[in-house]
Amino acid sequence: MSAPRHFLSLLDFSGEELTALLDRAQAMKATHRAGTAQPLLARRTLAMVFEKASTRTRVSFEAGMAQLGGQALFLSPRDTQLGRGEPVEDTARVLSRMVDIVMIRADAHAMVENFAAHSRVPVINGLTDLLHPCQLLADVMTYQEHRGSIHGRTVAWLGDGNNVCRSFVNAAARFGFALRVATPAGYAPPLDGLAEAELTLTDDPDEAVHGADLVVTDVWASMGQEADAGRRLADLADYQVNAARMRRAAGDALFMHCLPAHRGEEVSAEVIDGPQSVVWDEAENRLHAQKALLATLLGA
Ligand code: CP
Ligand code: NVA
């Protein structure tokens, strides 16, 4: 049995493969809207393992499988033996004999890697402490839908150098855009294991957004960091994306946020609910991008 192909990081695909994937996502979005989509994944089953909360990731994968004629199973550690200490390796061996593909949202990236190493079927990373590659499929798709190729553009990330930020670093390398990351000291993304990209790290948010084509941020306390939220909010207070910051960006700059958002913290209500914000398209495109990913990994 040949080793399955996983999607744990954007780096698991080449730039050409990612571009083809997003073209397919755009085509699938069009056929879905036209009501002419084919049931490409009939009789296929996706297992979804969630160690953390989710709205978008769960619903986009579950609805996506239904739209493609397949099925999705929601598995929480609260209800499975995984939550009672059954080893990840054993769970991977068993699930992958029963389902065709697995999506995992885990606390530790190492858990997903360990699962994938013992799985007979493809494994998709639905967010870990380290990376959120599915989010970047939707983000690049959304930019390109509104503004054309992201190649050669400049993206500014403000705030915490978290899992989504680290996937932006990989996206910068794979799609060929320049990335400026503005964080306070101690919040820069650890770069080990990431692709070498055209990357500027700074502690100056105004410098980062200057002339940028896309401005992005995310929550200041990610899932699992709740106990530390007070200190993080104080440390990151000067990194909000607000109207003054957006005025420094390019005139046609877009704003993105993976959601859920905290208005008044990392982004002002005026920006996220304003005309430059494409966050609802971004959320919708999780569905289309992941349908293309599922079909590609399953060879459909
Ligand atoms: N952006 C994102 O992954 O959202 P959920 O946490 O709701 O899945
Ligand atoms: N950085 C956030 C993203 C949520 C989709 C978190 O990990 O909680």
Side-chain angles (χ1 to χ4, degrees), residues 1-14 17-18 21 92-93 96 100-104 109 111-126 133-134 137 174 293-294 296-298:
M1 185 175 288
S2 62
R5 181 149 202 212
H6 304 302
F7 185 71
L8 307 189
S9 157
L10 288 177
L11 303 185
D12 291 336
F13 280 45
S14 68
E17 287 172 323
L18 290 170
L21 188 76
R93 291 180 181 109
S96 69
D100 302 286
I101 187 160
V102 178
M103 191 285 307
I104 309 178
H109 192 76
M111 182 276 194
V112 180
E113 286 186 331
N114 189 20
F115 192 110
H118 295 89
S119 172
R120 287 185 173 186
V121 301
V123 176
I124 296 171
N125 176 359
C134 290
L137 297 179
R174 283 294 189 261
L293 176 64
L294 289 162
T296 300
L297 288 173
L298 288 169

Side-chain angles (χ1 to χ4, degrees), residues 53-58 105 126-127 132 135 223 258-260 286:
S54 169
T55 296
R56 281 144 287 268
T57 303
R58 176 179 177 180
R105 169 166 286 193
L127 180 147
H132 195 2
Q135 184 65 51
M223 289 181 277
C258 64
L259 306 176
R286 295 288 305 276

Side-chain angles (χ1 to χ4, degrees), residues 71-109:
Q71 293 238 351
L73 304 173
F74 174 75
L75 303 171
S76 132
R78 281 179 294 281
D79 318 303
T80 57
Q81 301 291 4
L82 197 54
R84 296 182 57 253
E86 182 167 11
V88 169
E89 297 86 335
D90 294 358
T91 307
R93 291 180 181 109
V94 172
L95 285 186
S96 69
R97 283 171 182 242
M98 297 180 177
V99 304
D100 302 286
I101 187 160
V102 178
M103 191 285 307
I104 309 178
R105 169 166 286 193
D107 293 315
H109 192 76

Side-chain angles (χ1 to χ4, degrees), residues 52 105 127-128 132 135 162-164 218-219 221-223 258-260:
K52 306 191 202 192
R105 169 166 286 193
L127 180 147
T128 65
H132 195 2
Q135 184 65 51
N162 64 13
N163 43 8
V164 180
D218 187 13
V219 292
S222 284
M223 289 181 277
C258 64
L259 306 176

Side-chain angles (χ1 to χ4, degrees), residues 121-174:
V121 301
V123 176
I124 296 171
N125 176 359
L127 180 147
T128 65
D129 55 344
L130 229 55
L131 297 171
H132 195 2
C134 290
Q135 184 65 51
L136 265 291
L137 297 179
D139 291 8
V140 175
M141 178 179 173
T142 305
Y143 184 86
Q144 302 201 140
E145 199 169 62
H146 283 268
R147 294 286 183 266
S149 176
I150 200 167
H151 187 89
R153 300 296 190 149
T154 298
V155 178
W157 173 279
L158 266 57
D160 184 22
N162 64 13
N163 43 8
V164 180
C165 178
R166 287 168 56 94
S167 280
F168 259 99
V169 176
N170 285 338
R174 283 294 189 261

